[in-house]
Amino acid sequence: MSESDSKRLRRVVVVGGGSAGWMAAAALATYLGRQASVRLIESEEIGIVGVGEASVPHIRQFNSQMLGIDEAEFVKRTQGTVKLGIQFNDWGRIGDSYIHGFGVIGRSLGPLPFHQFWLKLQQRGHAAPLGEYSLQTLMAPQGRFIPGERDAAPDSPLADIAYAYHFDAALYARFLRELSERRGVQRIEGRIVGVQQRAEDGFVEALTLASGERVEGELFIDCSGFRGLLIEETLKTGYIDWTHWLPCDRAVAVPCESVLPITPYTRSSARKAGWQWRIPLQHRTGNGYVYASQYLGDDEAAATLLANLDGKPLAEPRLLRFTTGMRKQGWNKNVVALGLASGFLEPLESTSIYLVQSGISRLLSLFPGSLPGSDSFNPLLAERFNRETAFEYERVRDFLILHYHATERDDSPFWNYCRSMSIPDSLREAMDLFRADGRYFRHGEDFFALPSWVQVMLGQRIMPKGYHPIVDEMPEDRLIEFVEGTRKTLAQAVSAMPAHQQWLERHWKAAAA
C-alpha cells in the first residue's frame, strides 16, 4: 500500500438512524461506492423524534436524481400526499389567510418580476388577490393536482409544476434503510456507551457499544438528534441560541384520523402563543402545536391542540422540547453533524428535511480524499462546510422570523413580543426595501427565492408604498391585458386538472396501514 493510500479515508460511521441518519447513509453508499465502507449505528431502545414531515420541492431532486428512487414507490411506501405550499391562517391579523405556494408568481417581463406589474394595478384597485396569479396557490384550495405535462410547450405553466410531499418520517427512514443496505451499508444494532478520542488531538477514533463491541471509524456523521452525542457531548462544539428571535421552544404533537378529501397543502394556524400544524397523509393526519413555554403551559397547549383536530386522535399527545439555533461548527475535527444534531429551525416552513439533504450534498461536494487530521487533509474543506452551513441556517432563520414579526396581532403577550422585538439587520433591510417599492434581492444561494418572500410579506400586510419605475413604461391598457391575461390562463389550466384525491387513488395509493 502506498503512503497516499494509507492516508485515504475508508471508514465512515453514521451515528443514529431516523430519516437523517438513513438519508446520509443512502447518499454516502451511493456515491462512495467501493472507496469507503459505511456503517450506521442505531438502537431500537432509542426512539426517533419524527412525528410526520412536510417537505419542500428539493426532496424530489434528492430522491430521484441523487438516490434514483422511483417517485410512485416512494409516495406509496411512505403514505405520502402532495404538498403545493402552506396555508397561513390568522398570522397578520385574526381572520387573514394566504398561501405560500411553491413555484413562480405569474411570469417575468424583461428585467422585472410579475409582482411589480401586479402592484401598480393593485394600488389602483384593478387587480385580483395575488394568489390568483400563481399556479400552486390556485391548485391548493381547489384540491387539484397534476405533476406537469411532459409534452407541454416550454413557456406553458404546466411544463414544470413545483411540488413537494407530506409523508410519514418513520416509514421514509425504513424505506431508506432497505435501500441503503442493498447498496452496502452495514447496520449495527446497539446503544453507544463510550466515545474514544485520540490523545494527541481529540479526534474521535472509536465508539463502544453496550454489548462491548468497539466500532472504529475515520469520519463520523452525527445524526443523534438534539443530544448531539459526538458534536456536542464529546467535542463541546457550542451552540448559537436564537430563542430571542424565534421564541417557541416546545411542541406537542398528535396524529388523528384522516379526513377526505386529502388537501394538497400544509396548514399553519396561528394560536395565542405559537401556531398549529396540520399535515395530511393517506393513513392519518399529523398535527402539532409549536409554542413558547414562557407564555403557555404544556397542559393548555395539549388541550388547545386536541380541541382543534379534524378527526379522532389516534394517540396521546407527545411533548417535544427544543432550542432554536445551530452548532457553532457543523464539521468539527472528524465529526460532521446533520439534522437535529446540527441545529434546529422550527418546522414553520418545512425546512428540516431540506437542511439535512443540503448538508449531505455539501458534504459529498467537500468530501475529503484523505483522513481528517492527517498532514494531507485540507482544512479548507471543513471551513467551507461550516461557512456555507451557517449562511444557509441564518437565511432560513430570517425568513422564519419574518412570519412572527410581520404581524398586527396584539391579542396576547406572545404576539406583542414578536411584533415589537428587535430583528437581525439583514431582515430589517429586506423588509424596508420591500415596503418602499416591492423590491427583494436574493442573497447568493439563499434557499427561499423572491416568490417566497413576496408571498409572505404581502400575505402578512407589508404593503409596498410604490412599485418599480420601469412599470410606468408599459401603457395601462397593455398592463391590464398582461396581468389579467395571466390570471385567466392560470385559471383555465387549473380548472382542467384532476382532483388531488383522484390522482392519489389512481397513481399513488398506498397499501392499507
Side-chain angles (χ1 to χ4, degrees):
M1 180 183 293
S2 67
E3 183 178 354
S4 61
D5 284 343
S6 68
K7 295 180 179 180
R8 193 173 189 85
L9 196 161
R10 296 186 181 281
R11 295 178 296 176
V12 180
V13 178
V14 180
V15 176
S19 54
W22 285 112
M23 279 191 286
L28 290 168
T30 299
Y31 289 95
L32 293 181
R34 292 170 297 190
Q35 293 185 40
S37 66
V38 180
R39 291 174 292 173
L40 182 146
I41 303 171
E42 68 175 343
S43 172
E44 299 290 355
E45 299 176 24
I46 302 174
I48 60 173
V49 172
V51 291
E53 294 287 355
S55 57
V56 294
H58 179 272
I59 192 174
R60 295 171 56 209
Q61 176 184 344
F62 182 85
N63 279 356
S64 63
Q65 296 181 23
M66 287 196 68
L67 299 184
I69 293 173
D70 177 75
E71 181 177 41
E73 182 184 9
F74 159 75
V75 176
K76 292 175 182 178
R77 289 284 304 276
T78 62
Q79 295 282 346
T81 62
V82 171
K83 178 185 173 185
L84 297 168
I86 305 173
Q87 181 186 68
F88 288 95
N89 297 327
D90 299 328
W91 281 80
R93 293 179 184 172
I94 294 177
D96 283 358
S97 182
Y98 72 94
I99 293 177
H100 168 203
F102 301 133
V104 299
I105 303 169
R107 59 185 177 90
S108 300
L109 195 61
L112 299 185
F114 177 85
H115 79 275
Q116 286 290 349
F117 300 95
W118 174 86
L119 276 174
K120 179 175 180 178
L121 291 186
Q122 187 271 339
Q123 290 168 10
R124 297 189 179 193
H126 298 315
L130 186 71
E132 296 192 27
Y133 301 92
S134 171
L135 200 62
Q136 287 76 5
T137 54
L138 283 171
M139 294 164 65
Q142 295 183 43
R144 296 183 181 274
F145 173 73
I146 56 170
E149 295 182 356
R150 294 180 181 177
D151 56 349
D155 60 347
S156 167
L158 303 180
D160 184 20
I161 297 177
Y163 63 93
Y165 315 102
H166 307 114
F167 57 90
D168 186 312
L171 294 179
Y172 186 40
R174 188 182 306 167
F175 178 70
L176 290 172
R177 173 183 169 180
E178 294 175 11
L179 181 148
S180 299
E181 291 181 324
R182 288 198 302 269
R183 296 182 184 180
V185 174
Q186 178 190 358
R187 178 188 181 275
I188 301 173
E189 167 63 33
R191 181 168 54 86
I192 298 170
V193 296
V195 180
Q196 287 75 55
Q197 296 172 264
R198 295 196 310 221
E200 64 271 23
D201 55 18
F203 278 60
V204 176
E205 62 180 6
L207 308 173
T208 303
L209 307 185
S211 64
E213 181 180 358
R214 176 181 165 92
V215 181
E216 297 181 347
E218 295 155 352
L219 181 68
F220 293 82
I221 313 301
D222 190 345
C223 297
S224 63
F226 291 125
R227 179 184 180 189
L229 172 63
L230 301 183
I231 196 72
E232 193 59 49
E233 289 189 6
T234 302
L235 298 182
K236 313 298 182 186
T237 301
Y239 195 79
I240 302 171
D241 187 335
W242 288 331
T243 306
H244 53 294
W245 286 321
L246 294 166
C248 292
D249 60 353
R250 293 190 185 180
V252 59
V254 67
C256 74
E257 292 179 343
S258 186
V259 176
L260 299 180
I262 296 172
T263 53
Y265 56 89
T266 303
R267 181 180 298 152
S268 170
S269 301
R271 304 293 184 210
K272 76 172 188 177
W275 60 278
Q276 181 173 332
W277 80 69
R278 178 182 182 276
I279 300 175
L281 308 180
Q282 291 192 43
H283 62 320
R284 60 174 171 78
T285 298
N287 307 276
Y289 187 176
V290 178
Y291 61 98
S293 61
Q294 178 182 354
Y295 300 101
L296 187 70
D298 298 339
D299 291 342
E300 185 178 354
T304 300
L305 175 62
L306 291 172
N308 289 279
L309 300 181
D310 291 334
K312 179 183 176 182
L314 300 176
E316 290 297 317
R318 179 183 178 192
L319 180 65
L320 305 169
R321 293 180 174 87
F322 55 84
T323 301
T324 299
M326 61 172 288
R327 302 286 172 206
K328 291 182 178 179
Q329 298 177 80
W331 184 338
N332 187 2
K333 299 186 185 295
N334 63 334
V335 172
V336 177
L338 295 173
L340 300 177
S342 176
F344 183 76
L345 292 174
E346 59 163 89
L348 184 59
E349 281 285 352
S350 310
T351 50
S352 295
I353 289 288
Y354 163 74
L355 289 169
V356 177
Q357 295 174 341
S358 176
I360 293 169
S361 297
R362 187 176 303 118
L363 174 59
L364 287 171
S365 175
L366 298 169
F367 198 81
S370 56
L371 298 173
S374 67
D375 55 10
S376 59
F377 173 72
N378 186 353
L380 293 177
L381 296 175
E383 292 174 15
R384 183 76 180 190
F385 182 94
N386 289 330
R387 187 163 61 249
E388 291 188 6
T389 299
F391 173 84
E392 188 164 58
Y393 268 78
E394 288 167 0
R395 294 306 300 154
V396 173
R397 175 205 67 191
D398 282 4
F399 191 58
L400 299 185
I401 296 171
L402 170 66
H403 295 66
Y404 287 101
H405 185 64
T407 184
E408 298 178 8
R409 288 188 59 162
D410 59 1
D411 54 295
S412 71
F414 172 81
W415 289 109
N416 284 334
Y417 172 81
C418 292
R419 191 186 66 254
S420 60
M421 68 181 174
S422 63
I423 59 175
D425 291 341
S426 51
L427 176 57
R428 172 64 63 193
E429 178 184 312
M431 292 174 67
D432 289 346
L433 188 64
F434 188 82
R435 190 175 278 113
D437 54 15
R439 302 190 213 205
Y440 175 79
F441 296 97
R442 191 174 188 177
H443 294 251
E445 296 299 316
D446 185 359
F447 173 66
F448 288 105
L450 181 143
S452 294
W453 286 84
V454 168
Q455 289 177 93
V456 174
M457 285 202 264
L458 289 175
Q460 296 193 205
R461 297 176 175 270
I462 300 180
M463 298 304 299
K465 297 175 182 177
Y467 51 85
H468 198 290
I470 291 179
V471 173
D472 284 332
E473 292 299 307
M474 180 181 287
E476 187 157 336
D477 58 344
R478 187 181 164 211
L479 174 64
I480 293 173
E481 180 183 359
F482 170 60
V483 173
E484 178 63 11
T486 299
R487 187 191 68 80
K488 289 181 177 179
T489 297
L490 294 175
Q492 290 171 358
V494 172
S495 67
M497 294 180 183
H500 170 242
Q501 184 73 46
Q502 184 182 39
W503 180 271
L504 290 177
E505 295 286 343
R506 287 184 178 179
H507 304 284
W508 293 343
K509 186 171 179 57

